[in-house]
Amino acid sequence: MNLNQIFTNQRTGNNPNTTASRTDFQRDFDRIIFSSAFRRLQNKTQVFPLPGSVFVHNRLTHSLEVSSVGRSLGSVIGEFIAENFKSDLTEDSKNFYNHNLGNVIAAACLCHDVGNPAFGHSGEDAIASYFDKNENDIKFKFSEKEWADLVNFEGNANAIRVLAHQQQGKDLGGAQLTFTTLASIAKYPCEAVAKKKGIVHRKKFGFFQNEKETFLEIAKGVNLIQENDEPYIFKRHPFVWLVEAADDICYNIIDMEDAHRLGIISSSDCENLFLDLIESENQDVKKVKDKLVAISNDNERVSYLRAKVINALINKSIESFKTNFTTILQGNLDKGLLDIYRDGNKALQEIEKYSIAKIYNHKAVVEIENAGYNVMYELLDHFIPSVLKPKDERKSYDKMALKLLPQQFIYEEGSDYQKTLGVIDFVSGMTDNYATDLYRKIKGIDIGMTM
């Protein structure tokens, strides 16, 4: 890939660039911050149930922290590219890498989770499972590619839709972000049907059929390397590795801090795991331990160590990116930056093993996953059968159900696929509390008027 051709200020929608005090990529960051999709992340589960007497991370605070780490990664790598490849760069490119790559990565990190439904990964599973379990009744209404989207539903593809799709009655191009920012969150740039057929061995996919043409425009605008045509498969954009690393760094470490605050794991276990990782990087452990002597509060001790660990992982990710830069530019690196480091670092491996055993399988986490799955599944079951019926065949209960759908999610003149995506837009955009409240009302658990 040509370093001069992998970024652009071209945007989705009819939104010409204007001269302003902010750069186009700073404007991306600001648009996301002020968007309702981003604001709703404040009440979407990261790992632990919300709300509680002890404040833990939600999707919004997680995204803000990922963005902070991402800006650091982008700024350092931008300077690295500008300095080491200056003979290959135009003046505009030098300016971009020196001053704007950090903004791009920060903006992409902000919006990397906006497509995730309520209740974390169990929400994604519920949406996919709904269609899988009802295959015999509704599959015939969709094309093969459309069906692959539904039974493989996941948040990465939905993020592109949330950010770029024109909802009913709203402006063209969704949030109207630059192609550069949108390409930076496309971890799995292929169609769902390619994954389903085994044409590409990726865990997930990057865009729905409804946003296919938009994604092809994005791919063309930033010159993604195309591997296959129909089904479309692209290689990752180089900036994706930085967004992914920022996310990996935060959730690997901050989930430990949250678990400690909740009393799920002990202070000694958390501190020892963090200290082992710090020591593995040949940092001055004595200096760190001396600092800990002056801190008596357990939460503050863990926070201090968390900061030291995140700094170490940022440095290792930067090192991995630089070492593998040519492979990344070609789209051929087959591991994430943190995965490369983890493979050779037992301390980080132990943190991951400990997290799986003690945190992700903790009763409170499993309970919210089970409850969330059932809530999301039942909400879809309330709307999907009704929306798929022809207008003249809908009974009174179908009409009542559809009255609960906001206007921007109704596509009566669209295909069954588009009508279904409208329902998914509504359900997947819900916060944990709203989804739970609506579920209780339609099930008759809570009856009464609320304003």
Side-chain angles (χ1 to χ4, degrees), residues 20-75:
S21 58
R22 299 169 296 159
T23 70
D24 290 298
F25 308 106
Q26 289 171 326
R27 289 167 66 197
D28 278 359
F29 185 94
D30 296 344
R31 287 181 181 200
I32 298 161
I33 283 284
F34 285 96
S35 70
S36 59
F38 181 74
R39 190 162 57 250
R40 285 194 296 271
L41 294 178
Q42 69 184 303
N43 192 234
K44 287 192 177 185
T45 301
Q46 177 64 16
V47 173
F48 301 104
L50 300 172
S53 58
V54 178
F55 180 78
V56 293
H57 289 82
N58 53 44
R59 289 279 178 183
L60 187 142
T61 51
H62 165 73
S63 297
L64 288 169
E65 290 171 349
V66 173
S67 181
S68 178
V69 172
R71 186 183 298 280
S72 297
L73 290 170
S75 296

Side-chain angles (χ1 to χ4, degrees), residues 172-323:
L172 185 67
Q176 300 180 338
L177 304 181
T178 65
F179 289 177
T180 309
T181 295
L182 292 171
S184 298
I185 65 170
K187 292 173 64 175
Y188 311 99
C190 67
E191 295 182 74
V193 73
K195 170 186 174 291
K196 185 178 180 183
K197 289 182 174 181
I199 298 172
V200 59
H201 299 289
R202 290 176 181 160
K203 295 183 293 183
K204 301 176 182 180
F205 67 103
F207 53 93
F208 296 129
Q209 290 302 304
N210 200 75
E211 283 67 56
K212 179 176 176 177
E213 293 305 316
T214 298
F215 191 85
L216 294 181
E217 287 183 30
I218 293 169
K220 182 179 179 181
V222 297
N223 289 283
L224 289 189
I225 299 171
Q226 188 170 328
E227 294 186 74
N228 194 69
D229 183 357
E230 293 299 338
Y232 279 94
I233 304 170
F234 295 91
K235 293 185 176 181
R236 276 182 167 190
H237 192 284
F239 301 163
V240 170
W241 273 275
L242 298 174
V243 176
E244 180 182 53
D247 187 26
D248 289 348
I249 288 169
C250 288
Y251 82 73
N252 269 274
I253 303 306
I254 291 171
D255 289 349
M256 290 277 292
E257 183 180 17
D258 279 350
H260 171 260
R261 284 182 177 271
L262 290 168
I264 292 173
I265 64 176
S266 68
S267 296
S268 58
D269 280 357
C270 193
E271 288 185 22
N272 288 335
L273 286 165
F274 284 174
L275 281 168
D276 285 347
L277 192 144
I278 293 168
E279 188 171 15
S280 73
E281 285 308 303
N282 297 316
Q283 295 191 29
D284 189 345
V285 178
K286 183 180 182 304
K287 183 178 179 181
V288 172
K289 289 181 176 179
D290 288 344
K291 174 78 171 179
L292 286 175
V293 170
I295 305 173
S296 60
N297 182 277
D298 286 341
N299 287 336
E300 190 66 18
R301 288 166 65 89
V302 169
S303 294
Y304 167 68
L305 292 173
R306 177 259 302 153
K308 299 294 289 185
V309 169
I310 286 179
N311 183 65
L313 295 181
I314 288 174
N315 291 334
K316 296 307 294 188
S317 297
I318 290 169
E319 180 183 312
S320 291
F321 192 94
K322 291 178 179 179
T323 301

